Amino acid sequence: MTQPSPAAPLERPTQRSQAKADRRAALLESAATLFAERGFNGVSIEDLGAAVGVSGPAVYRHFSSKQAVLSALLIGVSERLLAGGQAVEQAAADAATALRSLIGFHIDFALGEPDTIRVQDRDLDSLDDAARRQVRRLQRRYVEVWMGVLGTLHPALADDELRVRVQATFGLLNSTPHTARVGTLQVAPGVVRPVLERMAWAALTSP
């Protein structure tokens, strides 16, 4: 009998491909910061390149246009939220645990990526139609993950109310980039997190 061939080893990224991936990630991170500070229309390709130490034309090795940078940024974060929310739901032992974990997951996002939230709030309409529809689809699916968990906890609630509660909670949590500042002072995340956790739980589960 012919012996099965050994499994092929997993290919490791080459140094060149890893460097390219790292540069692309750095461009997206810098784009979030610059777009948040100046708005999409206030940032040039040259600005994006300068932020990571390359010329403006070098940005085109990674993205076809400034709008492609914005698309990658907003589609990427929507994909990560959906995948993370689904993983949290699947890992939880029960609906109450899942809901608390979803709240914690989204707070991590809000505290960790405030610039991305600002960009999405202000510049979503700068996407082309196809990219904007894709972001909206991903966002709806993320909302539906939360609705499914909350509906298990409160089966008497209609879908419309579940959706309103979830969307209102996102509004609360996503306001963190604005509400976590008092004047020019940044409120410590250790103070912000427990307040957000309590308020989000109350908004979602109140009678």
Side-chain angles (χ1 to χ4, degrees):
M1 179 181 293
T2 303
Q3 295 297 319
S5 301
L10 294 175
E11 290 188 13
R12 294 182 178 179
T14 64
Q15 186 173 2
R16 182 176 179 180
S17 65
Q18 185 61 56
K20 184 174 182 180
D22 291 345
R23 178 59 53 80
R24 187 179 190 277
L27 281 165
L28 289 174
E29 183 176 353
S30 295
T33 300
L34 291 174
F35 293 161
E37 290 175 351
R38 307 180 198 173
F40 175 73
N41 292 326
V43 178
S44 67
I45 283 289
E46 288 72 21
D47 294 331
L48 292 174
V52 297
V54 301
S55 66
V59 176
Y60 293 114
R61 298 173 189 167
H62 306 274
F63 300 99
S64 61
S65 65
K66 188 177 69 165
Q67 193 171 72
V69 177
L70 182 64
S71 295
L73 178 65
L74 296 186
I75 291 172
V77 71
S78 298
E79 290 173 337
R80 285 189 286 110
L81 284 173
L82 175 58
Q86 290 172 331
V88 165
E89 178 195 17
Q90 292 165 7
D94 54 59
T97 301
L99 190 60
R100 290 195 182 277
S101 297
L102 283 170
I103 291 170
F105 168 72
H106 199 94
I107 291 173
D108 286 341
F109 162 66
L111 294 178
E113 300 191 45
D115 286 342
T116 305
I117 292 174
R118 291 191 187 97
V119 174
Q120 179 164 285
D121 286 348
R122 184 172 54 198
D123 294 315
L124 181 63
D125 287 342
S126 294
L127 293 174
D128 63 37
D129 289 344
R132 188 164 55 252
R133 285 195 297 269
Q134 186 173 355
V135 169
R136 292 300 192 195
R137 283 196 299 269
L138 291 165
Q139 290 175 338
R140 282 195 298 272
R141 292 177 63 192
Y142 183 53
V143 169
E144 287 163 1
V145 171
W146 285 64
M147 288 174 61
V149 172
L150 185 58
T152 301
L153 279 177
H154 294 283
L157 295 180
D159 281 354
D160 283 349
E161 180 163 349
L162 292 173
R163 190 176 301 278
V164 168
R165 289 190 183 210
V166 171
Q167 294 280 23
T169 301
F170 288 171
L172 165 68
L173 300 181
N174 289 348
S175 69
T176 302
H178 311 289
T179 58
R181 289 186 178 274
V182 178
T184 59
L185 299 177
Q186 180 74 38
V187 181
V191 175
V192 174
R193 174 179 288 277
V195 174
L196 291 178
E197 287 174 344
R198 291 194 301 270
M199 292 178 70
W201 181 263
L204 290 164
T205 63
S206 62

